[in-house]
Amino acid sequence: MAKIDVSIETNDLPAPPPKHPNTCPSCHSHYRDDELERSLWVCGHCGHHFAMRARDRIACLADPGSFVEEAADLHSEDPLGFFDLRPYTERLAEAEMSTGLADAIVIGQATLDGRQTELAVMDFAFMGGSMGSVVGEKLSRACDSAAERGVPLIAVTSSGGARMQEGILSLMQLPKTVCAVEDLHDAGQAMIVVMTHPTTAGVLASFASLGDVLLAEPGALIAFTGPRVVQQTTREKLPDDFGLAEQNLRFGHLDAIVPRPELRPTLSRLLRLLDAPQ
Amino acid sequence: MAKIDVSIETNDLPAPPPKHPNTCPSCHSHYRDDELERSLWVCGHCGHHFAMRARDRIACLADPGSFVEEAADLHSEDPLGFFDLRPYTERLAEAEMSTGLADAIVIGQATLDGRQTELAVMDFAFMGGSMGSVVGEKLSRACDSAAERGVPLIAVTSSGGARMQEGILSLMQLPKTVCAVEDLHDAGQAMIVVMTHPTTAGVLASFASLGDVLLAEPGALIAFTGPRVVQQTTREKLPDDFGLAEQNLRFGHLDAIVPRPELRPTLSRLLRLLDAPQ
Amino acid sequence: MPPSEHELRLRERLSRLKSLPLLGGAKLSGELERLQRQLERIAAEPTDEEIWRSVQLARHEQRPYTLDYAERLLDDWFELHGDRGLADDGAMVIGLGKLGGRTVTLVGQQKGRDIQERTRRQFGMPYPEGYRKAIRAFELAERLRTPVVSLVDTPGAYPGVAAEQHGQGGAIARSQAAMARLTVPTVACVIGEGGSGGAVAIALADRVLMQENAIYSVISPEGCAAILWRDAGQAQKAAAAFKPDARHCLELGVIDGIVPEPEGGAHTDHDEAARLLGESLREALDELDGVPGEELRRRRRARFRSLGVYA
Amino acid sequence: MPPSEHELRLRERLSRLKSLPLLGGAKLSGELERLQRQLERIAAEPTDEEIWRSVQLARHEQRPYTLDYAERLLDDWFELHGDRGLADDGAMVIGLGKLGGRTVTLVGQQKGRDIQERTRRQFGMPYPEGYRKAIRAFELAERLRTPVVSLVDTPGAYPGVAAEQHGQGGAIARSQAAMARLTVPTVACVIGEGGSGGAVAIALADRVLMQENAIYSVISPEGCAAILWRDAGQAQKAAAAFKPDARHCLELGVIDGIVPEPEGGAHTDHDEAARLLGESLREALDELDGVPGEELRRRRRARFRSLGVYA
Ligand SMILES: [Zn+2]
Ligand SMILES: [Zn+2]
């Protein structure tokens, strides 16, 4: 038992893709692209929340035209010359090609219902939202930008954990982002975290858990160790809702579960609360 | 259920007295006074810790001749003109007569193995060690004396809870002593608490739990709500060691259980640790 | 009984207000009226029957609870959940909201209205998890620099096996300690039952208020009677002896002011009860405005450290 | 590979020391010898076999654990217990002791020597309760103004149903945050397995050291192999790829120094291993002496915020 590593869930995630990305894995309803977009990628039949790309998320949250991206050109290096079945550099290039993103997070300034904020939005499509040097650095810069501008940070997480191809440096993104959030807090600014499916391992065990307000989307897996590894390691029988947002709320780890259509008004309300003259 | 008060355990404590105070309630061994004194009031047969009077405790802990009592002449008033089956003033006078103490706590300066410290020792024999205005005030003054002299405070607790004859003012001794301990901490000084049988209700829910190091004597009842009230209120089946020091240690609420003969060397060690140049 | 210090202060303030040209208009004349009302109430020592009526009204099943006030008093009210450790205790409510344009962190005990909700909220008796949830809210308030409004309404902390195992005494102590450390303004109001350690756990505030018919006590009348008279039926006698009513608490310096209720009690008109409570809370916060955090903390501790009567 | 910055710094320091008149006598010449040894070790890039040997030695069943060091290094060692909430996690040890006359707060993971102790200590894998116990120790150290010494030795945080329900991820995050807030000097040393989040939870320190044969990694070699090669048997290959050994961690700037072990590994001579560790810890604490608390914290955060490689 002592020999099984437990902190990385990349292997568990994502669930095997359904036949078609527009088919609901829960009720098997099928949607056209424009239907999904109009419904904020929520299944109209069963309420399943489809994964949402970072740019779509930003478009849904930021006032039109208000988003000013920061640090867009940061790219991962390959500090270890890492090579498993394929070189890390090749995996990076492929992810960039397929997602149009330089790494698994997008940060920038925006307004939401006219209120200034900083956004940091992860994208699971880029190597499972894994946190390497670029994710850590950009999240940290988002903290600094929020602190300097005196506005709250909204972080939307989606991650399978640390990016193991960067070895120990990926682990160091945990304390790095923790320090960045502490600096943000010392500057008197708040962080609101929106955990989406999945938020696990290193991201959960660092900045994501340090939000002043922790929100989650319905059905999101939120776990340090995912169900498969827990099952394999301990042979315990898992509760039905093991690791889901709903269980996390019951056990006191979340402030609220917010269905996607209510997310924007909820964040708007929180920004009003955080904006008030003291 | 909502109507049953749960925070005062005076009624539960002490356990019905044995035939003779020198008879061990656990194994029924009987001792002469001088035997008990030599064994630090610990049953040589079964290890039961008899209740220990405040002055005896101080004599065991302080270097001979080093104890300088403080605030010895503080006496309770009777703010409510409280009268139950008998007037509170009469109960006070009787307690003073039978114990030779002005109230349920003795405080003062002392050295222990040559190291300066402040002692605050409760005495269960004075109205069940209940905390009224005098206990609260003297504990607070002990905090101030320790802070001013730059020495740690050692508090030995033994209490059935708040002194209800002083009404709401007895409850106010909880926040009062909490504030005193916070002032002590802000002055950079530590508090070591030794919980002896019983440490319950208001004392446990205030200064006693705020010690930097929490020690307890074996078998001491340490509970906010004692077993009888829990049983009556919830009809739950109680674990065998419900509320005892041993259960508290297991559940993470104590640093160590220290048998009485080891208490002085343990405190001496802790004073050495707290004394060290930083 | 000679006039209490508080009464003297009130009288002085009243005469000062009366001699002022009424430039402040409505606000000032409202103030006058309020003080006059308060004075009349305090002037008369409550009878044993009045004390017992407070006990009954404080526990009235239709009395407004914390969430009733949150919804009425706070704009953009947003409830937060969980202790970040083990549970989300339904007997303790925390959240953010705007009180007259000022964002505050609310902490309060919560009873249930029907039997299902009562069970879910343990009749307003928090577990240690509830006090840890409160501590989290205090720490959040400190970080966000919002004042804390604390509404006290509990028969006491929950008395159960798990509650003891999870450290009920320590949790109550640490909740008070967390409040003693705050450098943001804090106002507590007992809005129903202020039952013992479980109540004071969230009442170590810069200003402590009580609603007119709330009670604040070291033990319930029934518990006191059972212990001292060996007969829980003597509750009314016990209440008369230990005086848990607002007027006596004010007399003893335990609270700073009494919040008026609608005629007949808060349960008769939730909206009006909320309005009156909101007025008092805002006034208390206004008084604390501009006091530096360290000074707030120093005064808060000094206030509690002064409580007690001895010779 | 060109010499690393650390190597350059070492070389410079070495030549400075060599040119000094040896007034310091034994201490200085010991220093010289130590640096020389360290330099030799760093100069050579470890082979894949050497990396794998570190993995094996880091996990050696006779390797000294936290309590073995506490007993040998700390005068008046006094173990503290409990998280003040729910449990006393045996996989996390905290306590007070004197290291060379200076009281320190020790925090460290603890494996078990025999099967019974291993079970009791969950093979060194803490529950959230263990991390809360560590947080309590950090807060105690801040209050008592003692430095923190943190010894890292865990395969990872415990992966179980209750651990998840009790908030494993949040506990690890908050343990790091607690360290990031400290204004007392902090030194961490990986003394065996530094397994992922469960390890870094207590390693956000001013100085981070590793014993010569310790490993520090984002995932175990077996886990990495299972995920990337789809074959846990490829662990040796995985270790060679992600380089969890001390020399590579030093190279990457993740650690500040390597603590030498006795020839053959720490398990061959616990006393000597403790002596060498104690020397390094004291040296690290000496370096931090006199730095104001706020400055320590600022530098600590800046240090961790600088980690990462990107373009
Ligand atoms: Zn569906
Ligand atoms: Zn015996």
Side-chain angles (χ1 to χ4, degrees):
Chain A
M1 180 156 79
K3 300 299 166 57
I4 297 178
D5 183 280
V6 300
S7 55
I8 298 283
E9 279 294 309
T10 310
N11 198 26
D12 278 11
L13 300 161
K19 281 150 266 169
H20 188 281
N22 288 9
T23 302
C24 175
S26 173
C27 74
H28 307 292
S29 305
H30 187 80
Y31 299 95
R32 292 191 315 272
D33 281 355
D34 63 316
E35 286 176 324
L36 270 184
E37 184 166 355
R38 250 185 297 117
S39 69
L40 299 173
W41 293 268
V42 175
C43 174
H45 186 64
C46 75
H48 170 78
H49 283 50
F50 286 81
M52 203 169 162
R53 299 295 309 279
R55 299 225 179 270
D56 293 329
R57 177 75 68 176
I58 291 166
C60 287
L61 296 180
D63 294 334
S66 74
F67 183 70
V68 180
E69 190 169 350
E70 297 166 330
D73 52 351
L74 279 194
H75 281 76
S76 268
E77 299 257 288
D78 181 16
L80 302 184
F82 199 91
F83 187 102
D84 47 85
L85 300 177
R86 293 157 59 202
Y88 176 40
T89 46
E90 192 179 310
R91 289 187 189 265
L92 282 170
E94 185 188 274
E96 185 167 353
M97 292 281 286
S98 71
T99 63
L101 298 174
D103 212 301
I105 193 169
V106 178
I107 66 167
Q109 315 180 3
T111 62
L112 197 163
D113 285 347
R115 282 192 161 68
Q116 284 288 342
T117 187
E118 176 82 14
L119 290 178
V121 180
M122 299 189 73
D123 196 315
F124 193 78
F126 193 104
M127 293 189 73
S130 57
M131 178 161 68
S133 298
V134 171
V135 170
E137 177 66 17
K138 288 175 82 169
L139 190 282
S140 300
R141 290 195 191 178
C143 289
D144 291 348
S145 175
E148 277 157 30
R149 293 160 53 225
V151 303
L153 169 63
I154 297 173
V156 183
T157 59
S158 176
S159 173
R163 186 164 308 160
M164 80 191 77
Q165 289 88 349
E166 296 187 19
I168 188 72
L169 285 179
S170 69
L171 182 63
M172 289 303 116
Q173 304 313 305
L174 277 67
K176 173 169 178 163
T177 56
V178 166
C179 288
V181 173
E182 287 300 310
D183 283 341
L184 175 70
H185 278 145
D186 285 355
Q189 287 308 319
M191 175 169 70
I192 303 166
V193 174
V194 182
M195 302 195 190
T196 76
H197 179 76
T199 294
T200 65
V203 165
L204 183 67
S206 62
F207 72 92
S209 289
L210 300 179
D212 298 283
V213 178
L214 300 185
L215 309 176
E217 289 198 330
L221 176 66
I222 300 170
F224 181 64
T225 312
R228 194 183 312 180
V229 172
V230 168
Q231 178 98 70
Q232 283 174 359
T233 315
T234 66
R235 317 254 171 238
E236 289 179 87
K237 173 150 174 43
L238 303 190
D240 282 345
D241 64 352
F242 177 80
L244 298 191
E246 290 71 15
Q247 189 197 58
N248 276 281
L249 182 68
R250 216 169 56 246
F251 279 91
H253 307 304
L254 293 174
D255 286 307
I257 294 175
V258 183
R260 202 170 283 165
E262 293 169 31
L263 184 59
R264 195 177 202 279
T266 299
L267 291 172
S268 184
R269 166 181 289 213
L270 286 168
L271 290 181
R272 283 198 299 277
L273 287 165
L274 297 171
D275 232 23
Q278 299 308 327
Chain B
M1 180 156 77
K3 300 298 165 61
I4 297 177
D5 184 280
V6 299
S7 54
I8 298 283
E9 279 296 307
T10 311
N11 198 27
D12 278 11
L13 301 159
K19 281 150 264 165
H20 188 280
N22 288 10
T23 301
C24 175
S26 172
C27 73
H28 308 292
S29 304
H30 187 81
Y31 299 95
R32 292 193 315 272
D33 282 355
D34 64 317
E35 286 175 325
L36 270 184
E37 184 166 356
R38 250 184 297 117
S39 69
L40 298 173
W41 293 270
V42 176
C43 174
H45 186 65
C46 76
H48 170 77
H49 283 50
F50 287 80
M52 203 169 162
R53 299 296 309 277
R55 300 226 177 271
D56 293 330
R57 177 75 68 175
I58 290 167
C60 286
L61 295 181
D63 294 335
S66 74
F67 184 71
V68 181
E69 189 169 350
E70 296 166 330
D73 52 351
L74 279 195
H75 281 75
S76 267
E77 299 255 289
D78 182 15
L80 301 184
F82 198 91
F83 187 101
D84 47 87
L85 301 176
R86 292 157 58 204
Y88 176 40
T89 46
E90 191 179 309
R91 289 185 190 267
L92 281 171
E94 185 188 273
E96 186 166 352
M97 292 281 285
S98 72
T99 62
L101 298 175
D103 211 299
I105 194 169
V106 177
I107 67 166
Q109 315 181 2
T111 62
L112 196 163
D113 286 344
R115 282 191 161 68
Q116 285 288 343
T117 186
E118 177 82 14
L119 290 177
V121 180
M122 299 189 73
D123 196 316
F124 193 78
F126 193 105
M127 294 188 73
S130 57
M131 178 160 70
S133 297
V134 172
V135 170
E137 177 66 16
K138 287 175 82 169
L139 191 282
S140 299
R141 291 195 191 177
C143 289
D144 290 348
S145 175
E148 277 157 31
R149 293 160 55 225
V151 304
L153 169 63
I154 297 174
V156 183
T157 59
S158 177
S159 173
R163 187 167 303 163
M164 81 191 76
Q165 290 88 351
E166 295 187 18
I168 188 71
L169 286 178
S170 69
L171 182 63
M172 289 304 115
Q173 304 313 304
L174 276 66
K176 172 168 178 164
T177 56
V178 166
C179 287
V181 173
E182 286 300 309
D183 283 341
L184 175 70
H185 278 146
D186 284 356
Q189 287 308 319
M191 175 169 70
I192 303 167
V193 174
V194 182
M195 301 194 190
T196 77
H197 180 75
T199 294
T200 64
V203 165
L204 183 67
S206 62
F207 73 90
S209 288
L210 301 179
D212 298 283
V213 178
L214 300 184
L215 310 177
E217 289 197 332
L221 176 66
I222 300 170
F224 181 64
T225 312
R228 193 184 312 181
V229 171
V230 169
Q231 178 96 70
Q232 282 174 359
T233 314
T234 66
R235 318 255 171 234
E236 289 179 85
K237 173 150 174 43
L238 304 190
D240 282 344
D241 64 353
F242 177 80
L244 300 191
E246 291 70 16
Q247 188 196 60
N248 276 281
L249 183 68
R250 215 168 56 245
F251 278 91
H253 307 304
L254 294 173
D255 286 307
I257 293 174
V258 184
R260 204 170 282 163
E262 292 169 31
L263 184 58
R264 194 178 202 281
T266 298
L267 291 172
S268 183
R269 166 180 291 213
L270 286 168
L271 290 182
R272 284 198 299 280
L273 287 165
L274 297 172
D275 232 23
Q278 299 309 328
Chain C
M1 185 179 281
S4 69
E5 256 194 60
H6 185 84
E7 186 179 337
L8 291 174
R9 268 206 311 277
L10 267 183
R11 280 192 196 286
E12 195 223 278
R13 203 158 142 218
L14 198 59
S15 61
R16 222 171 348 112
L17 281 173
K18 277 185 174 158
S19 65
L20 277 174
L22 291 184
L23 288 176
K27 190 184 178 321
L28 202 55
S29 87
E31 170 80 337
L32 252 176
E33 202 179 303
R34 205 183 56 74
L35 286 175
Q36 188 75 55
R37 263 206 326 263
Q38 203 173 334
L39 191 63
E40 279 159 22
R41 284 206 186 83
I42 295 160
E45 176 86 349
T47 64
D48 292 1
E49 287 67 35
E50 283 172 323
I51 293 177
W52 188 243
R53 184 160 172 272
S54 276
V55 173
Q56 291 173 312
L57 288 182
R59 295 167 169 177
H60 196 286
E61 297 201 343
Q62 292 308 317
R63 194 172 177 86
Y65 299 145
T66 292
L67 284 173
D68 297 311
Y69 289 122
E71 287 157 11
R72 284 169 176 79
L73 288 176
L74 302 181
D75 293 328
D76 286 327
W77 163 243
F78 189 80
E79 189 176 348
L80 302 171
H81 290 276
D83 68 348
R84 299 291 181 265
L86 195 62
D88 179 42
D89 192 327
M92 186 73 77
V93 164
I94 64 173
L96 299 170
K98 279 196 205 178
L99 181 69
R102 179 199 266 128
T103 296
V104 302
T105 300
L106 180 80
V107 174
Q109 284 117 350
Q110 178 68 33
K111 298 175 174 181
R113 198 63 74 186
D114 58 35
I115 188 64
Q116 211 177 351
E117 193 193 356
R118 275 182 202 155
T119 308
R120 183 160 62 80
R121 299 193 186 275
Q122 304 122 224
F123 299 82
M125 297 187 285
Y127 272 73
E129 289 81 347
Y131 294 106
R132 293 193 188 107
K133 186 176 170 182
I135 291 170
R136 182 169 90 75
F138 298 138
E139 290 171 351
L140 180 67
E142 182 78 11
R143 216 160 48 232
L144 301 180
R145 308 303 306 162
T146 77
V148 169
V149 170
S150 172
L151 301 181
V152 178
D153 190 15
T154 180
Y158 190 81
V161 171
E164 286 300 321
Q165 291 173 336
H166 297 180
Q168 190 68 280
I172 292 172
R174 277 182 275 277
S175 181
Q176 292 172 75
M179 291 193 88
R181 279 194 293 272
L182 291 175
T183 60
V184 292
T186 54
V187 179
C189 184
V190 187
I191 59 167
E193 289 183 273
S196 192
V200 79
I202 61 166
L204 203 162
D206 298 313
R207 292 287 182 277
V208 184
L209 311 174
M210 273 177 84
Q211 279 183 327
E212 204 177 332
N213 295 302
I215 57 172
Y216 198 9
S217 61
V218 69
I219 186 169
S220 71
E222 293 76 9
C224 179
I227 294 172
L228 293 184
W229 281 266
R230 322 231 167 240
D231 175 6
Q234 303 286 333
Q236 193 165 348
K237 196 188 263 182
F242 74 72
K243 305 182 173 65
D245 60 286
R247 276 170 284 183
H248 280 107
C249 286
L250 187 67
E251 188 77 32
L252 290 164
V254 168
I255 62 169
D256 303 295
I258 296 176
V259 179
E261 295 183 20
E263 285 298 322
H267 65 283
T268 62
D269 187 344
H270 288 199
D271 290 339
E272 175 64 5
R275 198 189 61 75
L276 291 164
L277 176 60
E279 210 172 77
S280 296
L281 293 173
R282 277 197 303 275
E283 190 190 348
L285 289 176
D286 287 345
E287 282 174 28
L288 300 168
D289 253 358
V291 184
E294 299 286 329
E295 178 62 15
L296 276 177
R297 171 159 66 184
R298 197 193 58 71
R299 286 190 206 163
R300 186 187 312 131
R301 290 188 192 169
R303 175 198 190 284
F304 279 94
R305 291 196 57 171
S306 75
L307 292 175
V309 173
Y310 46 84
Chain D
M1 187 180 280
S4 69
E5 258 195 56
H6 184 85
E7 188 180 336
L8 290 175
R9 268 206 312 277
L10 266 182
R11 280 191 198 286
E12 195 223 278
R13 202 157 144 218
L14 198 58
S15 60
R16 220 167 352 109
L17 281 172
K18 276 186 178 157
S19 65
L20 277 174
L22 290 183
L23 288 176
K27 190 182 179 320
L28 202 53
S29 87
E31 170 80 337
L32 252 176
E33 202 179 301
R34 204 183 56 74
L35 287 176
Q36 187 74 57
R37 263 207 327 264
Q38 204 173 332
L39 190 63
E40 278 159 23
R41 284 207 184 86
I42 294 160
E45 176 86 349
T47 63
D48 292 359
E49 288 67 34
E50 284 171 325
I51 293 176
W52 187 244
R53 184 157 172 274
S54 276
V55 173
Q56 291 174 312
L57 288 181
R59 295 167 168 178
H60 197 285
E61 297 202 341
Q62 292 309 314
R63 196 170 175 86
Y65 298 146
T66 292
L67 283 173
D68 298 310
Y69 288 123
E71 287 156 12
R72 284 170 177 79
L73 287 176
L74 302 182
D75 292 328
D76 286 326
W77 163 242
F78 189 80
E79 188 175 348
L80 302 170
H81 290 276
D83 68 347
R84 300 288 181 268
L86 195 62
D88 179 42
D89 192 327
M92 186 73 77
V93 164
I94 64 173
L96 299 170
K98 279 197 204 177
L99 181 69
R102 179 199 264 131
T103 297
V104 301
T105 301
L106 180 79
V107 174
Q109 283 117 352
Q110 178 68 32
K111 298 174 174 180
R113 197 63 74 187
D114 58 35
I115 187 64
Q116 211 177 353
E117 194 193 355
R118 276 182 201 154
T119 307
R120 184 161 61 82
R121 300 194 186 274
Q122 303 123 225
F123 300 81
M125 298 186 284
Y127 272 73
E129 289 82 346
Y131 294 106
R132 292 191 190 109
K133 186 176 170 182
I135 291 170
R136 182 169 89 76
F138 297 138
E139 291 170 350
L140 180 67
E142 182 77 10
R143 214 159 51 231
L144 301 180
R145 306 304 305 161
T146 77
V148 169
V149 170
S150 172
L151 300 181
V152 179
D153 190 15
T154 181
Y158 190 81
V161 171
E164 287 299 322
Q165 291 173 336
H166 298 180
Q168 189 68 280
I172 291 172
R174 276 180 275 277
S175 181
Q176 292 172 75
M179 292 193 87
R181 279 194 292 271
L182 292 176
T183 60
V184 292
T186 54
V187 180
C189 183
V190 186
I191 60 167
E193 289 183 272
S196 192
V200 79
I202 61 166
L204 203 162
D206 298 312
R207 293 285 182 280
V208 184
L209 310 174
M210 273 177 83
Q211 280 185 327
E212 204 177 331
N213 294 302
I215 56 172
Y216 198 8
S217 62
V218 68
I219 185 168
S220 72
E222 293 77 7
C224 180
I227 293 171
L228 294 185
W229 281 265
R230 319 230 170 242
D231 174 7
Q234 302 285 333
Q236 193 165 348
K237 196 188 263 182
F242 72 73
K243 305 183 174 63
D245 60 286
R247 277 170 283 182
H248 280 108
C249 286
L250 188 67
E251 189 76 33
L252 290 165
V254 168
I255 62 169
D256 303 296
I258 295 175
V259 179
E261 295 183 19
E263 285 297 322
H267 65 284
T268 61
D269 188 343
H270 287 198
D271 291 338
E272 176 64 4
R275 198 190 61 75
L276 291 164
L277 175 61
E279 211 172 77
S280 297
L281 293 174
R282 278 196 303 275
E283 191 190 346
L285 288 177
D286 287 345
E287 283 174 27
L288 300 168
D289 254 0
V291 184
E294 298 286 329
E295 177 63 14
L296 276 177
R297 171 160 65 185
R298 197 194 58 71
R299 286 189 207 165
R300 187 187 312 131
R301 290 188 192 169
R303 175 198 188 284
F304 279 94
R305 292 197 56 171
S306 75
L307 293 174
V309 172
Y310 46 85

